[in-house]
Structures are given as C-alpha cells and as structure tokens.
C-alpha cells in the first residue's frame, strides 16, 4: 500500500462505488477475523481437553498433538493482534492523562500490563520545549510534567576482552616483572564466564538447543560452531564439578529430609543400540525424577532445593535407590514404584508415610464436570475448593499454627466430604468416571488427610510438579536427549539452576559469577558458592573492606 493518498475522483457515482467496494472488503476482513477468533477458541478448548487426557500408553502422542496445537494457537493470536485496531490492556501507554481513551472491554480477561523489576535500569529522556514561547517569545517557566514509560531492550552483544600483560624490566637488576595470567573458566578457552553462563542457561533453563544458539550468535556477528558450543558446555560442567560435588553432599541432605515432594516425567532418549532402525524406532523413553524440599510454606529454616535424577526407564528400582537412605513423609502421585516404600515391615513400621495430592483428586472431578456438567462433580469441586481457601490463608505460617487452623476448620470439612462422597457412591453408576474419582479418594483416605495431622505437610504435590515444568518446556524444543549421559548432565545442571531459582537468584548471573571465581576460590570455602549462601563478588569485596 502506498504511503501517499490516492487522489479521489469528483464523480459521486464513482465515489459511491469505491465506498461500496471498501465496505465489502471490510466485511470480508471482519468475517475472517471472527472466524480466526472462533478457531482460537476452538483450539483452546481442544488443548484443554487433550491436556486432561494425558494418561496411558498414548500420552506421548497426545503431548505432541498438544504442542502442535499450541504453536498453531500462538500463530493465530499473533495474526489477530496484528489485525486488531484496538489497543489491548498490554498496549501502548497514552502520552498524557488528557489523551487517555475510554477503557474498552478487553478481548482476553487474562491479559495484563507488562511489569518490570524495580531493579531494572532506567533512562530519563526529557523533551524540553525550550526557554521561549513559540507564539509570543515570552519566557517559559516549569509548571509540571507528563511522564510516560516505554519498555525497551538493549540487545545482547558479544565483547572481545583483550588481556594485555605488560612486561617490565628492572633498571637495577634486569629482572622481568609481569602479572600472572588470570584464570579462565575453561583453561585455554576463549569463552568468558558471562558467555558460558549464557550458553548453559539457554540450554538447560531456556532449553534452546546448541544449533539454535549457533544461529543466534551468527546474528551477533560471531561464528561459533556447534562442536565448540558442545565443548564449552562440557568444559563448564567440569569447572562446576567441585561445586556440583558439594551440591551432591547437599543433595544427600535434601534427600535425607523427613518431608519430601517427588514426581517424575518422561523424556525421550536416543538409543544408540537401535539407531540402525531409524530415528523413530531408535528412541526410548527415559525418566527424570524431581525431589523437592521446600519448607517456606510452613516457615521452616532449611533452604529450598530441588534434586533431579535421570533414569533410562521407569522401573521402581530407581526410586528405591534414590530414596534408600531416607525416611519420613513422601508426597507423590500414585506411581506403583513407591508401594514398597509405604509397605509395613514385620514390626508394623514403614519407611515412608504416604501423603496424597488433593490437586490430583480435584482434576479427576474437574474432568467429569467439564465433560458432563455433573452437579455432583461441581459440588465436589466446591468442597475441595473450600479446603484450598483455608490453605491460602495459612500459607507461610508456622507449622503449629497451620495444624491448629486445620484441626479447627479443615478437618470438619474433610470429614463432611468423606461422608458425602460415600453417600454419592450409592447413587451413581459404579463404573462411571465419577465413581472412580470418589473411590480413588476414599480408598486412600488416610493419605489424603495426613495434612490434617502435621502442619508441615502440604495439601498437594505442586512443588514437585512446578520443578518438572522446565522439562515439559524442553521437550518442545529439543524433543529428546542425545544419550543416557546427556540425561544425567541435564539432571545435574537442572539441580544447580533450579535450586538457584528457588532461592531467588538469577541463574545466569549466579553461574557467571561462580564460573569466574571458582578456580581461585579456596576449596574449603566452596560452601560460600552454594545458591543459598552465594553473594555477588562485588558485595563480598565490600563486606570484606
């Protein structure tokens, strides 16, 4: 379309024909937008339904279908946003209060304005009209200002740091004096600590494959081959080995906690022994387990941490090995591999007490309500929701207070739910999904109500599920791990990165600082670099001064 306006004819009949043509074109565009909007809504519904069906032998196929639908949904939303003339909630900010338009109903109630951290650097640009009035030439005086904000981004860029070690000789004794070369994160490598931290965080936290990072660096004007990036990742992990060994000792402490959250998720792994059968058949299903200690909900003193373990299959022997040296309370799903941990010995004692997840039970009822609009399922959701309302009020409170509130308020509601559930089973078909949901809860009732006996126990297993969300994001990008060794590397890297995030750290800044300092750090003080003890180098120097 030309930037210059086309001259309009003077003939009224021709003008009317042009207007009619434009109106017809506008109607077609509006209809197309409405069709796109309806398709977006249909895709949303389809995605939700598929997400609720992720179980059994077809789960991987369904996951791949969900991923493709999500990509299609994203493209359609971008197209709608491009065609939409109205500003969304996250759109451009008005220049002044007087220019603020009337608020319009948002297209998507979930939209919100962008927010940036209070620590984000700010730059002030003043638009000063000058000292003289443009109309009469009189002196201008300041009476106020209108301030608007524009969120912008400074693109990442590579920087070459030349380290020049000046040589000097003594005029008296002819001795050559020169400062020693500073240590590098990877000996004899060009990669600096910030670059390595970027590569590691992009790969293991943002899940950007190395070949895509190669393309990103190419846009910055650097040709860094995939093989070099592989070497850098391996070298950086070797550099972090002493810290990882230290963390592994902390892992032992986390795994020895008497209250753990546990969950697992599948990960596709290339099987080198079957590569001659083709890519599709040369892939096996591995597993990533996450074990989480998080005492923040009950004001515990131990720092939060997540431990990841890779296994080449889903056999129970892996879980038994992971948890072999610990005991207490385990909050997990219904995976049968945990059964031996809950089984009582000859003395009637078990290694772990099982804590069930109310979120899993709630999903079962939600699936039924979504499919059938069952009033019984709706009431079950409301009753479970009442328990969650209480939990929100006591989150972050001491365990003793949580227990007292639960005994007073939650226990009567839980007992009433059980009585009501038993009555419903006599009224509904025994083979229905609704009956299965009731039986699932009632058959494990002591596990579902253990949170009423211990203020430290959570009502659900969401901490472990949150810890595994990055794996789900990674599956969309890298599809599979290259080997069992790659799966183990992924688990170790995520243990460091996710634990740093749980302790409120920026993982890239944390890794950059650790990679820069670790070679010169005293071995007996490596604990200072653990996520819950770490302080930036500048802060450490200031405190020492």
């Amino acid at each position: 379309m030309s930037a210059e306006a086309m001259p309009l004819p003077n003939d009224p009949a021709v003008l009317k024909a042009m207007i009619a043509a434009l109106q017809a074109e506008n109607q077609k565009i509006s209809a197309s937008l409405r069709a796109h909007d309806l398709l977006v809504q249909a895709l949303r519904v389809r995605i939700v339904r598929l997400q609720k069906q992720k179980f059994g032998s077809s789960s991987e196929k369904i996951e791949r279908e969900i991923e493709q639908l999500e990509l299609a949904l994203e493209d359609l939303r971008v197209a709608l946003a491009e065609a939409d003339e109205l500003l969304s909630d996250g759109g451009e900010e008005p220049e002044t209060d007087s220019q603020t338009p009337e608020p319009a109903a948002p297209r998507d109630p979930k939209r919100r304005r962008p927010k940036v951290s209070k620590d984000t650097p700010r730059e002030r640009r003043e638009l000063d009209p000058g000292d003289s009035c443009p109309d009469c030439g009189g002196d201008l005086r300041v009476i106020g200002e209108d301030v608007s904000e524009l969120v912008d981004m400074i693109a990442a860029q590579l920087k070459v740091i030349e380290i020049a070690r000046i040589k000097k000789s003594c005029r008296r004794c002819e001795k050559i004096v020169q400062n020693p070369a500073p240590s590098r994160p990877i000996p004899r490598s060009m990669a600096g600590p910030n670059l390595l931290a970027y590569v590691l965080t992009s790969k293991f936290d943002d899940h950007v494959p190395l070949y895509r990072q190669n393309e990103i660096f190419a846009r910055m004007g650097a040709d860094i081959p995939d093989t070099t990036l592989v070497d850098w990742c391996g070298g950086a992990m070797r550099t972090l080995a002493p810290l990882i060994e230290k963390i592994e000792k902390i892992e032992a402490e986390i795994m020895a906690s008497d209250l753990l959250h546990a969950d697992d998720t599948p990960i596709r792994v290339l099987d080198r022994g079957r590569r001659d059968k083709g890519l599709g058949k040369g892939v096996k299903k591995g597993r990533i387990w996450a074990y989480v200690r998080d005492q923040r909900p009950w004001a515990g003193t131990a720092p939060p941490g997540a431990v990841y373990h890779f296994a080449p299959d889903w056999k129970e022997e892996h879980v038994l090995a992971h948890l072999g040296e610990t005991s207490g309370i385990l909050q997990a799903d219904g995976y049968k591999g945990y059964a031996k941990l809950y089984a009582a010995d000859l003395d009637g004692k078990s290694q772990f007490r099982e804590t069930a997840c109310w979120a899993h039970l709630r999903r079962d009822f939600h699936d039924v309500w979504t499919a059938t609009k069952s009033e019984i399922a709706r009431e079950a959701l409301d009753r479970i929701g009442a328990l969650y309302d209480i939990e929100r009020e006591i989150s972050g409170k001491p365990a003793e207070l949580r227990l007292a509130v639960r005994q007073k308020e939650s226990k009567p509601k839980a007992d009433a739910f059980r009585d009501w559930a038993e009555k419903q089973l006599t009224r509904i078909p025994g083979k229905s999904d609704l009956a299965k949901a009731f039986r699932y809860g009632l058959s494990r009732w002591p596990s579902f109500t253990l949170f009423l006996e211990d203020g430290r126990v959570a009502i659900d297993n969401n901490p472990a599920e949150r810890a595994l969300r990055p794996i789900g994001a990674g599956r969309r990008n890298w599809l599979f791990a290259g080997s069992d060794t790659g799966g183990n590397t992924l688990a170790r890297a995520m243990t460091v990165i996710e634990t740093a995030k749980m302790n409120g750290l920026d993982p890239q800044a944390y890794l950059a600082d650790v990679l820069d300092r670790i070679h010169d750090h005293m071995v007996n003080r490596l604990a200072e670099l653990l996520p819950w003890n770490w302080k930036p180098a500048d802060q450490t120097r200031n405190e020492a001064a």
Side-chain angles (χ1 to χ4, degrees):
M1 182 177 178
S2 174
E4 299 181 358
M6 296 177 60
L8 296 175
N10 294 323
D11 188 348
V14 175
L15 287 173
K16 289 180 180 180
M18 292 178 62
I19 292 173
L22 290 173
Q23 288 176 336
E25 183 179 357
N26 185 53
Q27 290 177 352
K28 290 181 180 178
I29 293 174
S30 299
S32 178
L33 288 177
R34 286 195 296 271
H36 278 147
D37 210 358
L38 289 174
L39 184 55
V40 168
Q41 299 300 328
L43 284 173
R44 283 178 177 164
V45 173
R46 178 66 174 154
I47 287 172
V48 170
R49 289 176 178 172
L50 289 172
Q51 285 174 333
K52 299 302 181 182
Q53 296 172 8
K54 290 172 59 179
F55 61 87
S57 59
S58 61
S59 61
E60 281 193 21
K61 179 180 178 181
I62 293 176
E63 283 180 3
R64 287 195 295 273
E65 187 173 353
I66 289 174
E67 291 162 9
Q68 294 301 317
L69 285 172
E70 285 177 336
L71 290 174
L73 174 60
E74 182 178 285
D75 290 342
L76 281 171
R77 294 183 68 179
V78 170
L80 282 172
E82 181 182 359
D84 196 349
E85 295 179 1
L86 297 176
L87 292 177
S88 66
D89 286 355
E92 184 176 332
E93 184 176 292
E95 289 295 324
T96 64
D97 292 341
S98 62
Q99 296 173 334
T100 304
E102 289 297 322
R107 293 176 63 85
D108 188 344
K110 293 183 180 179
R111 285 185 181 178
R112 57 180 179 81
R113 296 185 62 83
K115 295 181 181 179
V116 295
S117 167
K118 63 180 181 181
D119 300 324
T120 303
R122 288 181 173 268
E123 174 185 335
R124 180 180 171 90
R125 299 180 184 178
E126 294 187 353
L127 305 180
D128 193 331
D131 298 326
S132 301
C133 176
D135 289 340
C136 68
D139 293 338
L140 297 178
R141 66 179 185 277
V142 177
I143 59 173
E145 64 180 17
D146 293 321
V147 179
S148 60
E149 291 185 349
L150 178 70
V151 179
D152 207 352
M153 180 176 179
I154 301 174
Q157 62 180 5
L158 295 173
K159 179 169 63 174
V160 177
I161 301 175
E162 294 184 352
I163 302 174
R165 298 189 294 133
I166 310 301
K167 288 184 181 181
K168 294 185 177 181
S169 64
C170 178
R171 293 182 182 274
R172 178 179 300 175
C173 66
E174 299 298 326
K175 179 180 178 180
I176 303 298
V177 180
Q178 185 182 36
N179 287 337
S183 59
R184 300 189 176 205
I186 303 175
R188 299 178 299 280
S189 171
M190 293 180 63
N194 289 285
L195 177 55
L196 289 174
Y198 174 85
V199 172
L200 288 178
T201 307
S202 297
K203 178 173 174 57
F204 295 115
D205 190 34
D206 300 328
H207 303 289
V208 180
L210 293 181
Y211 78 89
R212 292 185 189 169
Q213 292 191 47
N214 169 265
E215 297 170 357
I216 294 171
F217 288 130
R219 293 199 298 269
M220 299 180 190
D223 179 15
I224 305 178
D226 298 358
T227 53
T228 301
L229 292 172
V230 169
D231 291 340
W232 284 358
C233 281
M237 292 301 293
R238 284 195 302 272
T239 299
L240 293 172
L243 182 66
I244 292 174
E245 289 175 3
K246 191 72 178 178
I247 288 180
E248 286 176 352
K249 295 180 181 178
I250 304 300
E251 280 186 20
E253 178 184 333
I254 292 176
M255 297 299 291
S257 174
D258 61 351
L259 181 61
L260 274 178
H261 292 269
D263 202 359
D264 65 277
T265 191
I267 175 175
R268 302 175 75 209
V269 184
L270 286 182
D271 188 348
R272 303 297 179 180
R274 302 168 59 190
R275 57 187 173 184
D276 59 326
K277 298 181 179 180
L279 181 60
K281 296 182 179 179
V283 176
K284 63 183 180 181
K285 184 189 291 187
R287 216 78 187 177
I288 291 283
W289 267 275
Y291 300 95
V292 177
R293 177 181 70 183
D294 191 354
Q295 299 183 357
R296 291 173 294 181
W298 51 275
T301 57
V307 177
Y308 295 81
H309 286 290
F310 168 79
D313 50 52
W314 204 21
K315 295 179 180 178
E316 66 178 18
E317 62 193 48
H318 304 297
V319 169
L320 299 180
H322 299 161
L323 299 170
E325 302 298 325
T326 185
S327 61
I329 296 174
L330 183 65
Q331 190 137 24
D333 58 18
Y335 169 53
K336 62 182 181 180
Y338 299 124
K340 291 183 179 179
L341 301 173
Y342 303 141
D345 58 18
L346 296 177
D347 297 328
K349 297 181 180 180
S350 59
Q351 183 177 348
F352 280 99
R353 296 184 68 187
E354 178 186 7
T355 303
C357 175
W358 280 87
H360 278 80
L361 182 61
R362 184 186 183 280
R363 286 182 203 130
D364 290 342
F365 288 114
H366 186 271
D367 291 345
V368 174
W369 181 79
T370 302
T372 66
K373 301 301 179 184
S374 164
E375 290 299 326
I376 296 177
R378 177 72 259 178
E379 184 172 350
L381 291 174
D382 291 340
R383 288 174 177 266
I384 296 174
L387 294 175
Y388 272 90
D389 290 340
I390 299 171
E391 290 300 306
R392 279 189 286 272
E393 294 295 326
I394 60 177
S395 179
K397 305 295 184 182
E400 297 78 10
L401 175 61
R402 285 158 60 93
L403 178 60
V405 172
R406 286 169 172 175
Q407 285 289 313
K408 180 180 178 181
E409 300 181 22
S410 301
K411 190 175 185 305
K413 295 182 184 297
D415 292 341
F417 178 87
R418 181 182 184 181
D419 295 339
W420 173 79
E422 289 175 340
K423 292 179 182 177
Q424 303 314 306
L425 278 177
T426 64
R427 301 171 50 196
I428 58 179
K431 294 184 179 181
S432 65
D433 290 337
L434 185 57
K436 291 178 183 177
F438 278 123
R439 284 197 297 270
Y440 173 76
L442 294 174
S443 64
R444 304 173 66 204
W445 192 249
S447 301
F448 275 102
T449 55
L450 186 58
F451 82 105
L452 300 174
E453 304 172 18
D454 191 327
R456 302 173 304 158
V457 177
I459 193 173
D460 55 38
N461 197 33
N462 285 347
E465 293 187 3
R466 285 193 297 267
L468 286 173
R469 283 177 186 169
I471 300 293
R475 281 196 297 257
R476 298 188 186 99
N477 293 328
W478 34 257
L479 301 181
F480 45 72
S483 65
D484 289 355
T485 303
N488 286 319
T489 300
L490 171 65
R492 291 197 302 273
M494 289 194 63
T495 295
V496 177
I497 290 173
E498 294 302 319
T499 298
K501 289 163 64 176
M502 290 182 70
N503 285 271
L505 304 181
D506 175 355
Q508 185 171 330
Y510 168 70
L511 285 174
D513 185 76
V514 170
L515 286 167
D516 190 33
R517 296 164 57 184
I518 192 168
H519 283 313
D520 302 320
H521 207 80
M522 297 178 64
V523 176
N524 61 350
R525 295 176 58 184
L526 274 177
E528 295 174 354
L529 301 181
L530 292 171
W532 39 80
N533 298 329
W534 175 79
K535 295 178 182 178
D538 293 341
Q539 182 179 344
T540 303
R541 284 194 292 267
N542 292 337
E543 291 178 355

